[in-house]
Amino acid sequence: MEVGGMDSRQANRHESQQWRLNGMHQALSLVECETPRELRLCCCDILRRDWGFEWVQCLYIDGDGRWLAIDDADARLDCDDFRHPFAHAIRQETGMTLALGEARSRLDHPDFQRDVAELPVHWRLRILPLRARDEHREWLGVLAIAGNAVFLDERLDSPDFHAFETLVCRLWAALSRRCGERSQRVHLQNSLAQLNTRDRRRSMCEQMAVDILGQSDAIQRLRHQVVRAAETNLAVLLQGETGTGKDRVARAIHRFSARGNGPFMAINCAAIPETLLESELFGHIRGAFSGADESREGLIAQADGGTLFLDEIGDMPLALQAKLLRVLESGRYRPLGAGEERRADMRLIAATHQPLRERIQDKRFRADLFYRLGQFPVTLPPLRERRGDIPELANAFVRDFCHREGREELTITSAALRQLRDRDYPGNVRELKNLIDYACAMSPPGEDIGPMALPGEGVSSESPLDAVTAETDTASVRDLRRAVREYEASVIRQRLLYYDGNRTLAAASLGVPKRTLAHKCQQMELDAK
């Protein structure tokens, strides 16, 4: 028994000495690394060779702090995409342990599913966010290790592994500073800290009030949503009635985002024929189709590093919807006629006034695209829900008109403002702007804008009989049908003028179908768009 005890102690002492010797060799290998990249690759090799882990990944936060990347790999992971557990661990500032079988069924991130697809379902995945162990405490990256649950816990919870992890983090931080990365890391941490504070968001909302006017509760909630949307890289879906300012909100999201210095490309999907829309978005190479005399970049390529805004996306053809979905999921696209795919790093903002859920039921819009676009949904309030903002909007539109037309400053009276607050606005803010432009144009120089300068609901507040009386001497009427036709033509002409030739809005304000209005315009030879 005594001899056996001595043999056991000697064996343990020998194993301990061997482990310490291996630890010294590991530390020496790490210390000899000259760059952060070399250190990460060496760390993974040691964990596989000496620690016995079969699956190891070491990811680093790139220079601008927006991506987690792997050395010698093209794939990048968005730090704001919380669906991926690596990004979630960084933002939560804590390690995670996942059972792979459960993770495969619950987590829907395609890159994560691809990376762990071939790993045994009974394994566990340990995710360790790595942070500098000095006074700066900047984030470095993520270490992910998978293996048998018992083996994983035994090794990773040991003091030796904690010492190994500490050494890696200290060396990584030192090498980062030596290679010029430290200043970028510190700047990133300071920027993220400022962005996430309440004061920073309040400041951004105040700056945004210059472009998104109003102090109502509805508009303040909207500005708060825009700030939150700008903090992420998620796809944004703007919904709301026509004329509520979706284009202005899209530009604000871009301006206050990390991509604010990048390009902002916009297109109205309803304004371009289906045959040309694909080329506008994806571009084409020379000879791709008849008339393609030279290659041309599409808006997706032009928006690389910035934002692409697709207005009226509800009118996009189904075939293009499928191609757009692939771009959103993979970041890759193929120009017309090209043989190889290309990559674009862009943020997508889409807008529509149409009820997309109803279009999905009618099989005119893809449900998978709708859910992909709606990662960050924003609904813009109609003007009737923010009537308190009408005076501020009206005065801003007056100033804009005077600046644009070179007129002396105009003032709108309180009586005119009261009349504006009592109106209905099917065209929302756009209708209010057109109304103010009309009133400014009708106001003589040097006079305030009063109620008489404002048209009534639509064009005139007069009754039909008053309008006929005002324009025609009723005693001279000899042909009633002709007089009615002339009055009807006058009303339609003025209504089209008011809505800048938009037959849809004009028809809605008159209470007739658009097709009926178009027929009357053709009969009366009225010039309209």
Side-chain angles (χ1 to χ4, degrees):
M1 291 294 294
E2 191 172 329
V3 175
M6 288 293 295
D7 291 342
S8 176
R9 287 194 296 272
Q10 289 175 352
N12 291 337
R13 187 182 302 112
H14 176 74
E15 182 179 354
S16 177
Q17 291 174 348
Q18 185 64 38
W19 187 254
R20 284 197 297 270
L21 182 62
N22 288 339
M24 294 176 61
H25 285 305
Q26 294 169 14
L28 183 61
S29 298
L30 293 173
V31 170
E32 290 177 345
C33 295
E34 297 182 356
T35 65
R37 176 183 177 277
E38 186 178 343
L39 177 74
R40 291 188 291 267
L41 295 176
C42 180
C43 171
C44 291
D45 287 341
I46 290 175
L47 291 174
R48 295 188 188 100
R49 182 186 65 243
D50 297 342
W51 289 79
F53 297 119
E54 298 182 47
W55 190 91
V56 178
Q57 281 189 352
C58 186
L59 297 86
Y60 64 94
I61 300 178
D62 70 354
D64 62 6
R66 290 175 39 226
W67 304 95
L68 276 170
I70 303 177
D71 293 298
D72 300 331
D74 294 333
R76 295 189 303 172
L77 168 64
D78 189 346
C79 288
D80 288 327
D81 190 351
F82 293 166
R83 296 179 304 153
H84 200 297
F86 295 173
H88 188 75
I90 282 284
R91 292 306 183 191
Q92 294 297 320
E93 303 184 9
T94 184
M96 299 176 60
T97 301
L98 301 175
L100 284 177
E102 182 180 1
R104 286 181 182 174
S105 62
R106 292 180 56 190
L107 302 180
D108 62 352
H109 198 287
D111 293 340
F112 176 75
Q113 293 290 349
R114 184 189 63 245
D115 289 343
V116 302
E118 297 182 2
L119 299 182
V121 295
H122 64 275
W123 276 13
R124 284 186 185 173
L125 174 65
R126 185 79 69 92
I127 304 169
L128 304 172
L130 302 180
R131 198 170 193 173
R133 305 302 172 91
D134 54 19
E135 68 275 11
H136 301 292
R137 300 286 291 167
E138 67 261 32
W139 286 106
L140 303 170
V142 170
L143 184 63
I145 304 175
N148 177 273
V150 176
F151 179 77
L152 201 68
D153 293 342
E154 177 185 340
R155 292 296 175 92
L156 296 186
D157 293 337
S158 67
D160 292 320
F161 181 81
H162 292 315
F164 177 82
E165 179 187 359
T166 299
L167 178 61
V168 169
C169 290
R170 289 187 180 277
L171 292 174
W172 189 340
L175 291 173
S176 295
R177 289 193 293 273
R178 188 185 306 167
C179 297
E181 296 179 5
R182 176 180 175 274
S183 60
Q184 296 180 5
R185 297 287 188 267
V186 173
H187 176 72
L188 166 66
Q189 295 302 317
N190 290 339
S191 297
L192 289 175
Q194 293 175 2
L195 191 62
N196 290 327
T197 61
R198 185 176 303 174
D199 291 340
R200 173 63 174 169
R201 286 174 176 158
R202 184 184 299 114
S203 174
M204 292 175 68
C205 286
E206 291 174 355
Q207 296 176 52
M208 200 175 297
V210 176
D211 296 318
I212 304 178
L213 301 176
Q215 298 303 321
S216 63
D217 291 343
I219 211 66
Q220 291 192 47
R221 286 194 298 269
L222 175 63
R223 285 198 289 261
H224 182 72
Q225 277 190 294
V226 170
V227 169
R228 290 297 185 94
E231 293 176 359
T232 76
N233 201 42
L234 301 176
V236 178
L237 179 60
L238 304 177
Q239 294 180 286
E241 298 176 7
T242 182
T244 49
K246 292 184 281 292
D247 177 86
R248 188 173 291 260
V249 170
R251 292 181 182 276
I253 293 174
H254 168 74
R255 175 189 169 195
F256 288 94
S257 72
R259 299 173 177 267
N261 293 327
F264 178 87
M265 308 305 298
I267 187 172
N268 189 320
C269 299
I272 299 179
E274 178 178 349
T275 54
L276 299 179
L277 184 56
E278 182 174 3
S279 176
E280 287 289 324
L281 286 175
F282 295 91
H284 61 261
I285 66 172
R286 182 179 180 182
F289 52 84
S290 178
D293 298 329
E294 58 183 19
S295 298
R296 181 173 179 271
E297 279 193 339
L299 293 178
I300 292 176
Q302 296 177 49
D304 188 39
T307 301
L308 176 62
F309 174 49
L310 300 181
D311 198 6
E312 298 300 347
I313 196 169
D315 292 307
M316 177 176 284
L318 281 170
L320 273 186
Q321 292 178 28
K323 295 183 178 181
L324 177 63
L325 179 62
R326 171 160 171 71
V327 176
L328 293 176
E329 290 180 340
S330 66
R332 298 184 179 277
Y333 69 99
R334 189 192 304 272
L336 291 177
E340 296 182 354
E341 288 188 335
R342 302 177 186 177
R343 187 177 185 89
D345 172 23
M346 63 166 190
R347 198 260 185 88
L348 183 70
I349 302 177
T352 181
H353 72 280
Q354 299 183 10
L356 291 185
R357 293 186 183 275
E358 293 181 11
R359 293 183 71 84
I360 291 173
Q361 294 177 354
D362 297 337
K363 301 189 183 302
R364 290 184 292 171
F365 201 84
R366 294 178 62 103
D368 47 5
L369 178 60
F370 171 73
Y371 294 118
R372 187 62 177 79
L373 291 172
Q375 289 182 322
F376 200 113
V378 177
T379 301
L380 279 66
L383 192 55
R384 62 180 174 274
E385 294 181 3
R386 43 179 299 218
R387 291 185 179 274
D389 294 331
I390 290 178
E392 181 180 350
L393 291 167
N395 282 295
F397 294 150
V398 170
R399 291 192 298 269
D400 178 69
F401 176 89
C402 294
H403 176 76
R404 192 173 67 246
E405 299 293 332
R407 291 273 301 270
E408 294 183 2
E409 290 187 9
L410 293 171
T411 302
I412 187 166
T413 66
S414 299
L417 289 175
R418 283 196 300 270
Q419 187 179 117
L420 288 173
R421 280 195 294 263
D422 293 337
R423 295 174 63 95
D424 291 327
Y425 293 95
N428 292 291
V429 179
R430 183 185 294 121
E431 180 180 349
L432 175 63
K433 183 180 185 303
N434 290 343
L435 190 153
I436 293 297
D437 285 347
Y438 176 85
C440 290
M442 295 298 292
S443 298
E447 293 188 12
D448 294 339
I449 302 173
M452 297 300 295
L454 299 171
E457 293 292 326
V459 175
S460 174
S461 59
E462 300 173 322
S463 68
L465 181 59
D466 292 336
V468 173
T469 303
E471 296 184 7
T472 308
D473 182 4
T474 56
S476 64
V477 173
R478 295 292 181 266
D479 188 336
L480 180 59
R481 291 183 179 179
R482 180 179 177 182
V484 170
R485 284 198 303 271
E486 289 177 351
Y487 170 70
E488 186 177 26
S490 175
V491 171
I492 293 175
R493 186 182 297 108
Q494 291 297 322
R495 195 64 56 96
L496 289 171
L497 177 64
Y498 177 73
Y499 285 110
D500 196 24
N502 189 314
R503 285 182 177 175
T504 301
L505 292 179
S509 67
L510 290 170
V512 298
K514 180 182 177 182
R515 185 174 301 176
T516 300
L517 182 65
H519 179 67
K520 289 182 178 293
C521 288
Q522 184 177 10
Q523 281 185 325
M524 300 173 182
E525 298 181 352
L526 297 177
D527 185 18
K529 298 178 182 179

